[in-house]
Amino acid sequence: MRVKFSTEKILILGSSGLLGRSLAPFLENNGHHVELHGRANIATHHADISDASDTFSLLDLINPTVIVNLVGLTDVDRCETQPNQAYLTNVRTVENVSDWIKQKKALCHLVHISTDQVYDGIGPHTEKQVTLTNYYAFSKYAGELAAATVPSATFRTNFFGRSHCANRLSLTDWLFRALSDGDPIQVFEDVLFSPLSMITLSKMIEQAIQKRTVGVFNLGSQDGLSKADFAFAFAEEMCFPVHRMTRTSIEQATFLKTYRPRDMRMVCSKFESELGIELPHLRDQIKQVAKEYREVA
């Protein structure tokens, strides 16, 4: 791959999570100077971004031209039972970063990663069709409002692919392990979504950084599938037997304590128009990710 040289100094907040472990090397390989913040040892910076003083000290030290915010409490049940923790992680962090940009008059662009769980009801949904059905979605939407007070791009998204985190599995990691071991698994036929692979999402974020995209955008694949159809498509690409996979309704999942949206499919034409691109179909993304698993199997 040809390396593109850039004067960007990009700070990734929450770089030790699923997306950060894919995004950081992608940006570095494309010639960007990347600073890593997070909890894991791979990160150089470990500031508490929910604390304004720590946030300002970190941002004063680095003085980034771009901040990519991946910090988030994504445990839906925990957000519901610990709303203040959800606020601190999903909202106050963004408020602190935005306040630094405003107070310092920094020439800094914010890229904020939100969620497709701000949607429910019959989809696919445009950016204006927000329906908040749990505290996780509420806190992520409040974080979007904080990001909108400065020049920023907010991406409502969902993603999958091989995890590079030692202690965290992605959706396809879970499917790969269960299918490899022949474990019985249940997959939801009444939950629909339109995620991207982490590789494709990283590419889209990098293009948005280069263009200094501003606004709130759905960022997902075309078409969308139920989680059951997604699982069966992935199994087919991996040539796994599917006789131990059972389609079920999310209403039958007694282990889920908090309501989850049923249809999170998104209309992504606004992003496609802004970037002048065509986003991939979900089945093609599944094929791409399955190839990654086969290459390391």
Side-chain angles (χ1 to χ4, degrees), residues 35-67:
E35 295 278 351
L36 301 181
H37 160 274
R39 296 178 179 177
N41 291 333
I42 63 159
T44 306
H45 309 282
H46 306 281
D48 179 3
I49 307 301
S50 68
D51 180 88
S53 178
D54 280 6
T55 303
F56 273 54
S57 295
L58 173 64
L59 298 182
D60 283 343
L61 174 67
I62 298 174
N63 194 27
T65 59
V66 176
I67 298 170

mmCIF file of all heavy atoms in Angstrom, residues 35-67:
data_model
loop_
_atom_site.group_PDB
_atom_site.id
_atom_site.type_symbol
_atom_site.label_atom_id
_atom_site.label_comp_id
_atom_site.label_asym_id
_atom_site.label_seq_id
_atom_site.Cartn_x
_atom_site.Cartn_y
_atom_site.Cartn_z
ATOM 1 N N GLU A 35 -1.801 9.635 18.173
ATOM 2 C CA GLU A 35 -1.595 9.526 19.615
ATOM 3 C C GLU A 35 -2.721 8.669 20.189
ATOM 4 O O GLU A 35 -3.892 8.859 19.839
ATOM 5 C CB GLU A 35 -1.607 10.904 20.270
ATOM 6 C CG GLU A 35 -0.467 11.815 19.844
ATOM 7 C CD GLU A 35 0.817 11.537 20.599
ATOM 8 O OE1 GLU A 35 0.781 10.755 21.577
ATOM 9 O OE2 GLU A 35 1.869 12.092 20.205
ATOM 10 N N LEU A 36 -2.373 7.753 21.089
ATOM 11 C CA LEU A 36 -3.336 6.794 21.596
ATOM 12 C C LEU A 36 -3.674 7.060 23.059
ATOM 13 O O LEU A 36 -2.792 7.107 23.918
ATOM 14 C CB LEU A 36 -2.789 5.373 21.457
ATOM 15 C CG LEU A 36 -2.432 4.908 20.041
ATOM 16 C CD1 LEU A 36 -1.931 3.477 20.069
ATOM 17 C CD2 LEU A 36 -3.619 5.043 19.105
ATOM 18 N N HIS A 37 -4.962 7.203 23.318
ATOM 19 C CA HIS A 37 -5.471 7.310 24.681
ATOM 20 C C HIS A 37 -6.334 6.088 24.959
ATOM 21 O O HIS A 37 -7.082 5.621 24.093
ATOM 22 C CB HIS A 37 -6.320 8.580 24.852
ATOM 23 C CG HIS A 37 -7.246 8.524 26.035
ATOM 24 N ND1 HIS A 37 -8.505 7.957 25.961
ATOM 25 C CD2 HIS A 37 -7.092 8.929 27.319
ATOM 26 C CE1 HIS A 37 -9.086 8.030 27.149
ATOM 27 N NE2 HIS A 37 -8.261 8.609 27.986
ATOM 28 N N GLY A 38 -6.230 5.557 26.160
ATOM 29 C CA GLY A 38 -7.065 4.418 26.530
ATOM 30 C C GLY A 38 -6.622 3.804 27.829
ATOM 31 O O GLY A 38 -5.697 4.284 28.484
ATOM 32 N N ARG A 39 -7.264 2.711 28.191
ATOM 33 C CA ARG A 39 -6.962 2.035 29.454
ATOM 34 C C ARG A 39 -5.839 1.019 29.315
ATOM 35 O O ARG A 39 -5.103 0.773 30.259
ATOM 36 C CB ARG A 39 -8.215 1.342 29.989
ATOM 37 C CG ARG A 39 -9.342 2.297 30.354
ATOM 38 C CD ARG A 39 -10.556 1.525 30.833
ATOM 39 N NE ARG A 39 -11.646 2.419 31.221
ATOM 40 C CZ ARG A 39 -12.836 1.993 31.619
ATOM 41 N NH1 ARG A 39 -13.085 0.692 31.689
ATOM 42 N NH2 ARG A 39 -13.775 2.860 31.960
ATOM 43 N N ALA A 40 -5.727 0.397 28.154
ATOM 44 C CA ALA A 40 -4.755 -0.676 27.975
ATOM 45 C C ALA A 40 -3.341 -0.129 27.848
ATOM 46 O O ALA A 40 -3.126 1.068 27.594
ATOM 47 C CB ALA A 40 -5.116 -1.503 26.743
ATOM 48 N N ASN A 41 -2.370 -1.022 27.997
ATOM 49 C CA ASN A 41 -0.969 -0.614 27.968
ATOM 50 C C ASN A 41 -0.517 -0.127 26.604
ATOM 51 O O ASN A 41 0.499 0.568 26.503
ATOM 52 C CB ASN A 41 -0.080 -1.776 28.419
ATOM 53 C CG ASN A 41 -0.244 -2.101 29.892
ATOM 54 O OD1 ASN A 41 -0.594 -1.235 30.689
ATOM 55 N ND2 ASN A 41 -0.005 -3.355 30.253
ATOM 56 N N ILE A 42 -1.251 -0.504 25.543
ATOM 57 C CA ILE A 42 -0.846 -0.039 24.212
ATOM 58 C C ILE A 42 -1.007 1.468 24.076
ATOM 59 O O ILE A 42 -0.384 2.085 23.225
ATOM 60 C CB ILE A 42 -1.662 -0.738 23.104
ATOM 61 C CG1 ILE A 42 -3.157 -0.381 23.226
ATOM 62 C CG2 ILE A 42 -1.446 -2.223 23.102
ATOM 63 C CD1 ILE A 42 -3.923 -0.597 21.949
ATOM 64 N N ALA A 43 -1.846 2.062 24.908
ATOM 65 C CA ALA A 43 -2.069 3.509 24.863
ATOM 66 C C ALA A 43 -0.969 4.230 25.623
ATOM 67 O O ALA A 43 -0.492 3.765 26.663
ATOM 68 C CB ALA A 43 -3.430 3.860 25.452
ATOM 69 N N THR A 44 -0.571 5.392 25.090
ATOM 70 C CA THR A 44 0.439 6.216 25.752
ATOM 71 C C THR A 44 -0.186 7.091 26.820
ATOM 72 O O THR A 44 0.459 7.408 27.828
ATOM 73 C CB THR A 44 1.150 7.099 24.704
ATOM 74 O OG1 THR A 44 1.650 6.260 23.658
ATOM 75 C CG2 THR A 44 2.301 7.874 25.329
ATOM 76 N N HIS A 45 -1.435 7.475 26.617
ATOM 77 C CA HIS A 45 -2.107 8.425 27.497
ATOM 78 C C HIS A 45 -3.296 7.749 28.178
ATOM 79 O O HIS A 45 -4.069 7.046 27.539
ATOM 80 C CB HIS A 45 -2.579 9.643 26.693
ATOM 81 C CG HIS A 45 -1.492 10.254 25.845
ATOM 82 N ND1 HIS A 45 -0.515 11.055 26.367
ATOM 83 C CD2 HIS A 45 -1.247 10.148 24.512
ATOM 84 C CE1 HIS A 45 0.303 11.428 25.390
ATOM 85 N NE2 HIS A 45 -0.118 10.900 24.256
ATOM 86 N N HIS A 46 -3.445 7.994 29.492
ATOM 87 C CA HIS A 46 -4.472 7.311 30.268
ATOM 88 C C HIS A 46 -5.334 8.293 31.066
ATOM 89 O O HIS A 46 -5.880 7.936 32.102
ATOM 90 C CB HIS A 46 -3.821 6.309 31.221
ATOM 91 C CG HIS A 46 -2.898 5.347 30.548
ATOM 92 N ND1 HIS A 46 -3.347 4.240 29.858
ATOM 93 C CD2 HIS A 46 -1.545 5.341 30.432
ATOM 94 C CE1 HIS A 46 -2.309 3.580 29.361
ATOM 95 N NE2 HIS A 46 -1.206 4.223 29.694
ATOM 96 N N ALA A 47 -5.475 9.507 30.588
ATOM 97 C CA ALA A 47 -6.230 10.526 31.320
ATOM 98 C C ALA A 47 -7.696 10.130 31.461
ATOM 99 O O ALA A 47 -8.259 9.422 30.623
ATOM 100 C CB ALA A 47 -6.119 11.869 30.603
ATOM 101 N N ASP A 48 -8.310 10.614 32.549
ATOM 102 C CA ASP A 48 -9.745 10.432 32.778
ATOM 103 C C ASP A 48 -10.484 11.531 32.020
ATOM 104 O O ASP A 48 -10.543 12.675 32.467
ATOM 105 C CB ASP A 48 -10.045 10.508 34.275
ATOM 106 C CG ASP A 48 -11.526 10.348 34.581
ATOM 107 O OD1 ASP A 48 -12.311 10.117 33.645
ATOM 108 O OD2 ASP A 48 -11.901 10.473 35.768
ATOM 109 N N ILE A 49 -11.062 11.170 30.878
ATOM 110 C CA ILE A 49 -11.694 12.168 30.013
ATOM 111 C C ILE A 49 -13.021 12.658 30.592
ATOM 112 O O ILE A 49 -13.551 13.680 30.162
ATOM 113 C CB ILE A 49 -11.891 11.608 28.588
ATOM 114 C CG1 ILE A 49 -10.578 11.074 28.051
ATOM 115 C CG2 ILE A 49 -12.406 12.684 27.623
ATOM 116 C CD1 ILE A 49 -9.477 12.112 27.989
ATOM 117 N N SER A 50 -13.554 11.965 31.585
ATOM 118 C CA SER A 50 -14.761 12.477 32.241
ATOM 119 C C SER A 50 -14.432 13.592 33.230
ATOM 120 O O SER A 50 -15.338 14.252 33.746
ATOM 121 C CB SER A 50 -15.506 11.346 32.959
ATOM 122 O OG SER A 50 -14.762 10.863 34.062
ATOM 123 N N ASP A 51 -13.143 13.823 33.474
ATOM 124 C CA ASP A 51 -12.680 14.901 34.347
ATOM 125 C C ASP A 51 -12.179 16.051 33.475
ATOM 126 O O ASP A 51 -11.278 15.863 32.649
ATOM 127 C CB ASP A 51 -11.563 14.409 35.263
ATOM 128 C CG ASP A 51 -11.052 15.486 36.197
ATOM 129 O OD1 ASP A 51 -11.624 15.643 37.291
ATOM 130 O OD2 ASP A 51 -10.084 16.184 35.812
ATOM 131 N N ALA A 52 -12.752 17.231 33.646
ATOM 132 C CA ALA A 52 -12.424 18.363 32.775
ATOM 133 C C ALA A 52 -10.951 18.747 32.862
ATOM 134 O O ALA A 52 -10.301 19.012 31.845
ATOM 135 C CB ALA A 52 -13.307 19.561 33.123
ATOM 136 N N SER A 53 -10.402 18.766 34.079
ATOM 137 C CA SER A 53 -9.005 19.149 34.250
ATOM 138 C C SER A 53 -8.067 18.174 33.550
ATOM 139 O O SER A 53 -7.124 18.582 32.853
ATOM 140 C CB SER A 53 -8.663 19.227 35.745
ATOM 141 O OG SER A 53 -7.303 19.552 35.931
ATOM 142 N N ASP A 54 -8.329 16.874 33.718
ATOM 143 C CA ASP A 54 -7.500 15.872 33.046
ATOM 144 C C ASP A 54 -7.617 15.983 31.532
ATOM 145 O O ASP A 54 -6.635 15.836 30.798
ATOM 146 C CB ASP A 54 -7.932 14.461 33.477
ATOM 147 C CG ASP A 54 -7.367 14.071 34.826
ATOM 148 O OD1 ASP A 54 -6.732 14.929 35.480
ATOM 149 O OD2 ASP A 54 -7.563 12.912 35.243
ATOM 150 N N THR A 55 -8.835 16.231 31.057
ATOM 151 C CA THR A 55 -9.050 16.360 29.617
ATOM 152 C C THR A 55 -8.278 17.539 29.054
ATOM 153 O O THR A 55 -7.580 17.416 28.036
ATOM 154 C CB THR A 55 -10.551 16.530 29.310
ATOM 155 O OG1 THR A 55 -11.276 15.431 29.856
ATOM 156 C CG2 THR A 55 -10.795 16.608 27.814
ATOM 157 N N PHE A 56 -8.377 18.693 29.720
ATOM 158 C CA PHE A 56 -7.681 19.883 29.238
ATOM 159 C C PHE A 56 -6.170 19.682 29.261
ATOM 160 O O PHE A 56 -5.460 20.098 28.333
ATOM 161 C CB PHE A 56 -8.073 21.094 30.076
ATOM 162 C CG PHE A 56 -9.319 21.797 29.602
ATOM 163 C CD1 PHE A 56 -10.508 21.106 29.421
ATOM 164 C CD2 PHE A 56 -9.312 23.154 29.316
ATOM 165 C CE1 PHE A 56 -11.655 21.745 28.989
ATOM 166 C CE2 PHE A 56 -10.460 23.810 28.875
ATOM 167 C CZ PHE A 56 -11.635 23.090 28.702
ATOM 168 N N SER A 57 -5.661 19.034 30.306
ATOM 169 C CA SER A 57 -4.216 18.796 30.402
ATOM 170 C C SER A 57 -3.741 17.912 29.252
ATOM 171 O O SER A 57 -2.706 18.171 28.630
ATOM 172 C CB SER A 57 -3.867 18.146 31.736
ATOM 173 O OG SER A 57 -4.141 19.017 32.811
ATOM 174 N N LEU A 58 -4.499 16.864 28.955
ATOM 175 C CA LEU A 58 -4.130 15.966 27.870
ATOM 176 C C LEU A 58 -4.156 16.682 26.525
ATOM 177 O O LEU A 58 -3.204 16.581 25.729
ATOM 178 C CB LEU A 58 -5.084 14.776 27.840
ATOM 179 C CG LEU A 58 -4.929 13.820 26.649
ATOM 180 C CD1 LEU A 58 -3.569 13.138 26.669
ATOM 181 C CD2 LEU A 58 -6.051 12.775 26.640
ATOM 182 N N LEU A 59 -5.227 17.428 26.268
ATOM 183 C CA LEU A 59 -5.365 18.079 24.971
ATOM 184 C C LEU A 59 -4.382 19.240 24.817
ATOM 185 O O LEU A 59 -3.883 19.498 23.710
ATOM 186 C CB LEU A 59 -6.802 18.550 24.774
ATOM 187 C CG LEU A 59 -7.855 17.426 24.768
ATOM 188 C CD1 LEU A 59 -9.247 17.989 24.522
ATOM 189 C CD2 LEU A 59 -7.522 16.368 23.731
ATOM 190 N N ASP A 60 -4.064 19.922 25.914
ATOM 191 C CA ASP A 60 -3.021 20.959 25.865
ATOM 192 C C ASP A 60 -1.673 20.339 25.511
ATOM 193 O O ASP A 60 -0.883 20.916 24.749
ATOM 194 C CB ASP A 60 -2.909 21.671 27.215
ATOM 195 C CG ASP A 60 -4.031 22.675 27.455
ATOM 196 O OD1 ASP A 60 -4.701 23.068 26.478
ATOM 197 O OD2 ASP A 60 -4.239 23.056 28.625
ATOM 198 N N LEU A 61 -1.394 19.165 26.071
ATOM 199 C CA LEU A 61 -0.124 18.491 25.821
ATOM 200 C C LEU A 61 0.018 18.072 24.370
ATOM 201 O O LEU A 61 1.068 18.270 23.748
ATOM 202 C CB LEU A 61 -0.016 17.258 26.729
ATOM 203 C CG LEU A 61 1.194 16.343 26.509
ATOM 204 C CD1 LEU A 61 2.483 17.064 26.892
ATOM 205 C CD2 LEU A 61 1.031 15.043 27.301
ATOM 206 N N ILE A 62 -1.042 17.493 23.808
ATOM 207 C CA ILE A 62 -0.960 16.943 22.453
ATOM 208 C C ILE A 62 -1.275 17.980 21.384
ATOM 209 O O ILE A 62 -0.674 18.000 20.316
ATOM 210 C CB ILE A 62 -1.906 15.730 22.331
ATOM 211 C CG1 ILE A 62 -1.472 14.637 23.304
ATOM 212 C CG2 ILE A 62 -1.936 15.203 20.906
ATOM 213 C CD1 ILE A 62 -2.409 13.466 23.366
ATOM 214 N N ASN A 63 -2.247 18.864 21.680
ATOM 215 C CA ASN A 63 -2.710 19.874 20.723
ATOM 216 C C ASN A 63 -3.012 19.240 19.359
ATOM 217 O O ASN A 63 -2.410 19.592 18.343
ATOM 218 C CB ASN A 63 -1.669 20.987 20.571
ATOM 219 C CG ASN A 63 -2.249 22.199 19.856
ATOM 220 O OD1 ASN A 63 -3.450 22.457 19.907
ATOM 221 N ND2 ASN A 63 -1.401 22.937 19.163
ATOM 222 N N PRO A 64 -3.957 18.317 19.322
ATOM 223 C CA PRO A 64 -4.232 17.583 18.080
ATOM 224 C C PRO A 64 -4.957 18.444 17.054
ATOM 225 O O PRO A 64 -5.644 19.415 17.393
ATOM 226 C CB PRO A 64 -5.131 16.444 18.554
ATOM 227 C CG PRO A 64 -5.849 17.019 19.746
ATOM 228 C CD PRO A 64 -4.852 17.915 20.421
ATOM 229 N N THR A 65 -4.824 18.068 15.791
ATOM 230 C CA THR A 65 -5.623 18.695 14.734
ATOM 231 C C THR A 65 -6.935 17.943 14.527
ATOM 232 O O THR A 65 -7.893 18.499 13.994
ATOM 233 C CB THR A 65 -4.853 18.738 13.404
ATOM 234 O OG1 THR A 65 -4.502 17.403 13.013
ATOM 235 C CG2 THR A 65 -3.593 19.580 13.539
ATOM 236 N N VAL A 66 -6.963 16.682 14.956
ATOM 237 C CA VAL A 66 -8.175 15.859 14.867
ATOM 238 C C VAL A 66 -8.283 15.025 16.144
ATOM 239 O O VAL A 66 -7.287 14.467 16.612
ATOM 240 C CB VAL A 66 -8.151 14.912 13.645
ATOM 241 C CG1 VAL A 66 -9.383 14.002 13.641
ATOM 242 C CG2 VAL A 66 -8.060 15.695 12.349
ATOM 243 N N ILE A 67 -9.480 14.967 16.698
ATOM 244 C CA ILE A 67 -9.767 14.074 17.819
ATOM 245 C C ILE A 67 -10.827 13.082 17.352
ATOM 246 O O ILE A 67 -11.891 13.493 16.869
ATOM 247 C CB ILE A 67 -10.288 14.832 19.047
ATOM 248 C CG1 ILE A 67 -9.242 15.826 19.560
ATOM 249 C CG2 ILE A 67 -10.683 13.863 20.160
ATOM 250 C CD1 ILE A 67 -9.776 16.780 20.619
#
